[in-house]
């Protein structure tokens, strides 16, 4: 070996020794100064205007309304530039998105105007023109009239090597002052150091799509990396028969080569339905030949370990639901960011499919037993403290017995669990699947704390829809649906269908009151009221 080569080797060994010594020092430091990772957080600080100094913190998925109206979280009075509901902010930390609601003066973000209308222009015309939205970043300013707010985004600790989230149970994660490394990367680096590998140097890795491997930094943004399927692959998987199922099985074989792949005990059948986040397929359980439905969903964000844990904890609450009017959840899990739910199969299909087969609406005689069944299922779940949050005809499934149709409420807790874990992305400003039609106002004004009374509005809207073929509110293309939800009362059901008996109409109209306190407060109350008039 030449002197220069030996010198280079000694230099590299010396560098590795320094890194190793620093790692030991950090470990010793952790005994007296443990670093605790914190979750992502979004803060809105009011820097000028009538409520200057007020701070609105968001640590979980939530909505925020700004305007003059009493339902606004930031109510601004005495400023002629502020509209009733001026803008809505949806926060899913660390992401935040603002949507102007057809305000007169518009909303300014970093000096750029979003929305706004002419003095003689109605709000519905302005919102129908563009539904202006903007994604917010740390340090952005929002200005309306005399009020200015500053956006502050605090991102949880991330690994300097792989960008993964640093979890609270990851010990002391500090690597170099101001940088952190997850347990997995620390282990890999320790192995590299011990073997004198050149890989001992850390190089930040770009986040990749789990399916195609391309860089998805722009799609993920400031979120920690995790299991993620890019938009292009998402579209492809949802368009291919069995695409999501094959993805889960392939991943399972890679991760657990000595075990049976996930869903191996099921023979997949026809696709029963598709949506913006996943699909439902019929399957047969090979152990006993029982038909089941497998729902597979692709989260809208990268799935970090903490998000997965939150979801599994939330959905676990619904595992014990056992009622003849609730679809039974047999099993659930995930693989590479695809979540699956194996449920009871109802051969009658969904309520909206039955309505379609009947020409667009049902007679009261046909709908009545379905209505009572749904309310009995809701009553049981509400007694256990579980709110559905996404009731609509697509989530009511049917089977037929000698007496007629029997209804079962499906997807109990699924919407809530996805939203709580942040996996659904933006659901208020980017609602999908027709959910706006069945959304009560408080789902925008009190997003995190919905109560059973909110399910009452949604199930009544479902009954209204199947009896009339129309929705309680006129959701026209020339108006922002969020503005409609915030301001419009439900149209009396007999204005839609005069054949509805007055006594039944009175019950449903009350259940659809925009005022929470004026509604029936529970499924049992609504069930009793309908039972007296049907």
């Amino acid at each position: 070996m030449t002197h220069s080569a030996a010198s280079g080797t000694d230099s590299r060994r010396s560098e590795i020794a320094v890194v190793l010594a620093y790692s030991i020092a950090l470990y010793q430091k952790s005994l007296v100064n443990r670093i605790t990772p914190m979750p992502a957080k979004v803060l809105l600080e009011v820097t000028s205007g009538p409520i200057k100094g007020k701070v609105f913190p968001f640590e979980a998925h939530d909505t925020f309304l700004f305007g003059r109206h009493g339902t606004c979280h930031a109510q601004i009075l005495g400023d002629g530039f502020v509209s009733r509901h001026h803008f809505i902010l949806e926060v899913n930390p660390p992401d935040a998105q603002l949507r102007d609601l057809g305000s007169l003066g518009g909303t300014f973000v970093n000096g750029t105007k979003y929305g706004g209308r002419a003095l003689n222009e109605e709000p519905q015309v302005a919102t129908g023109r563009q539904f202006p939205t903007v994604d917010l970043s740390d340090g952005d300013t929002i200005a309306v009239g005399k009020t200015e707010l500053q956006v502050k985004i605090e991102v949880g600790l991330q690994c300097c090597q792989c960008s993964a989230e640093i979890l609270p149970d990851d010990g002391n994660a500090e690597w170099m002052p101001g940088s952190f490394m997850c347990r997995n990367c620390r282990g890999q680096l320790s192995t590299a150091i011990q073997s004198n590998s050149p890989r001992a140097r850390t190089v930040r890795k770009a986040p990749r799509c789990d399916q195609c491997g391309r860089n998805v930094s722009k799609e993920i943004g400031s979120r920690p990396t995790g299991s993620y399927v890019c938009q292009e692959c998402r579209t492809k998987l949802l368009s291919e028969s069995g695409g999501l199922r094959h993805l889960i099985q392939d991943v399972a074989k890679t991760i657990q080569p000595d075990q049976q792949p996930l869903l191996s005990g099921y023979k997949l059948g026809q696709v029963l339905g598709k949506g913006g986040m996943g699909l439902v397929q019929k399957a047969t359980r090979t152990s006993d030949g029982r038909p089941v439905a497998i729902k597979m969903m692709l989260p809208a964000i990268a799935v970090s370990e903490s998000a997965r844990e939150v979801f599994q904890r939330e959905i676990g609450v619904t595992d014990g639901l056992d009622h003849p009017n609730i679809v039974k959840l047999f099993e659930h899990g995930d693989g590479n960011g695809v979540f699956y739910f194996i449920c009871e199969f109802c051969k009658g299909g969904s309520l909206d499919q039955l309505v379609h087969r009947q020409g667009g609406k049902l007679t009261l005689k046909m709908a009545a037993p379905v209505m009572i069944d749904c309310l009995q299922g809701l009553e049981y779940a509400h007694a256990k403290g579980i709110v559905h949050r996404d009731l609509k005809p697509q989530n009511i499934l049917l089977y037929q017995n000698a007496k007629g149709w029997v209804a079962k409420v499906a997807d109990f807790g699924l919407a809530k669990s996805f939203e709580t874990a942040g996996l659904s992305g933006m659901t208020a400003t980017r609602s999908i699947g027709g959910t706006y039609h069945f959304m009560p106002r408080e789902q925008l004004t009190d997003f995190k704390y919905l109560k059973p009374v909110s399910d009452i509005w949604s199930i009544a809207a479902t009954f209204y829809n199947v009896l009339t073929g129309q929705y309680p509110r006129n959701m026209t293309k020339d108006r922002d649906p969020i503005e409609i939800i915030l301001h419009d009362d439900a149209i009396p059901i007999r204005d839609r269908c005069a054949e509805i008996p007055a006594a039944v109409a009175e019950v449903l109209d009350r259940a659809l009151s925009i005022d929470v306190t004026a509604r029936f407060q529970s499924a049992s109350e609504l069930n009793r009221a309908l039972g007296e008039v049907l």
Side-chain angles (χ1 to χ4, degrees), residues 245 248-249 253 259-267 284 286:
R245 184 243 196 177
I248 290 178
Q249 298 229 26
K253 290 177 183 176
Q259 299 180 24
Q260 287 292 319
L262 299 175
L263 303 183
S264 62
Y266 298 89
K267 182 179 179 181
T284 302
T286 54

Side-chain angles (χ1 to χ4, degrees), residues 259-296:
Q259 299 180 24
Q260 287 292 319
L262 299 175
L263 303 183
S264 62
Y266 298 89
K267 182 179 179 181
L268 210 62
Q270 69 186 100
V271 174
L272 300 175
K274 293 183 180 181
M277 295 182 68
L279 54 81
V280 182
Q281 289 184 266
K282 185 180 179 182
T284 302
R285 191 162 62 189
T286 54
S287 61
D288 58 6
R290 177 169 186 159
V292 297
I294 301 181
K295 186 181 187 93
M296 285 172 275

Side-chain angles (χ1 to χ4, degrees), residues 58-342:
F58 304 91
E59 295 184 0
H61 196 174
D62 206 351
T63 56
F64 171 85
L65 283 162
F66 179 97
R68 298 195 318 266
H69 198 274
T71 56
C72 291
H73 305 95
Q75 186 182 19
I76 308 298
L77 301 175
D79 188 336
F81 289 96
V82 179
S83 299
R84 285 187 303 171
H85 287 101
H86 200 101
F87 70 77
I88 184 172
L89 185 72
E90 183 169 9
V91 180
N92 193 352
D95 301 329
Q97 184 179 76
L98 181 147
R99 177 162 166 173
D100 185 86
L101 295 174
S103 65
L104 179 60
T107 304
F108 291 82
V109 178
N110 299 329
T112 300
K113 184 179 179 181
Y114 292 85
R117 64 185 195 273
L119 287 174
N120 60 347
E121 189 177 27
E122 292 296 320
Q124 57 265 33
V125 177
T127 54
R129 186 170 56 246
Q130 49 188 324
F131 296 163
T133 60
V134 57
D135 292 319
L136 300 174
S137 302
D138 182 45
D140 285 351
T141 59
I142 304 168
V144 176
K146 300 174 184 177
T147 301
E148 185 172 290
L149 308 93
Q150 185 173 39
V151 180
K152 296 181 179 180
I153 298 177
E154 300 175 1
V155 180
L157 301 186
Q158 295 183 27
C159 176
C160 62
Q161 170 74 347
C162 68
S163 302
E165 179 182 29
I166 302 291
L167 297 174
D169 63 354
D170 210 13
N172 182 73
E174 186 175 9
W175 176 240
M176 299 289 181
S179 66
F180 306 87
M181 188 177 290
C182 68
R183 179 182 290 128
N184 183 51
C185 288
R186 293 201 306 272
Q188 293 178 1
L189 183 58
S190 176
T191 301
I193 289 173
Q194 292 173 15
S195 62
N196 289 337
S197 167
R199 293 184 61 192
R201 293 179 178 274
T202 62
V203 179
R204 189 175 179 90
K205 301 173 183 176
R208 303 284 175 180
C209 170
D210 291 332
Q211 182 70 359
C212 67
R214 73 180 182 87
N215 188 326
V216 291
S217 299
K218 291 184 178 179
E219 289 189 23
I220 290 179
S222 59
R223 284 187 172 276
T225 58
S227 297
Y228 183 73
V229 177
C230 72
Q231 294 298 323
E232 185 176 334
C233 289
R234 177 189 301 269
T235 301
K236 183 179 179 182
L237 288 169
L238 292 176
S239 64
E240 291 179 350
S241 177
L244 295 182
R245 184 243 196 177
H246 294 316
L247 173 58
I248 290 178
Q249 298 229 26
D250 290 345
V251 171
K253 290 177 183 176
T254 301
I255 297 175
Q256 308 171 57
D258 298 329
Q259 299 180 24
Q260 287 292 319
L262 299 175
L263 303 183
S264 62
Y266 298 89
K267 182 179 179 181
L268 210 62
Q270 69 186 100
V271 174
L272 300 175
K274 293 183 180 181
M277 295 182 68
L279 54 81
V280 182
Q281 289 184 266
K282 185 180 179 182
T284 302
R285 191 162 62 189
T286 54
S287 61
D288 58 6
R290 177 169 186 159
V292 297
I294 301 181
K295 186 181 187 93
M296 285 172 275
M297 297 181 69
L298 279 169
I301 64 167
V303 183
S304 65
E305 276 305 311
S306 61
R308 180 181 284 106
E309 289 173 5
V310 170
F311 174 77
Q312 295 295 353
R313 182 174 66 249
E314 289 287 325
I315 197 67
V317 175
T318 67
D319 283 349
L321 290 180
D322 187 9
H323 189 275
N325 299 118
I326 293 178
V327 173
K328 180 68 176 174
L329 175 63
F330 297 125
E331 185 182 341
H332 59 85
D334 67 279
N336 207 29
V338 181
F339 287 75
Y340 68 88
F341 311 86
I342 301 173

Side-chain angles (χ1 to χ4, degrees), residues 37-50:
M38 300 297 290
K41 181 188 294 186
V42 176
L43 300 169
L44 280 183
E45 181 179 351
V46 184
T47 56
S48 65

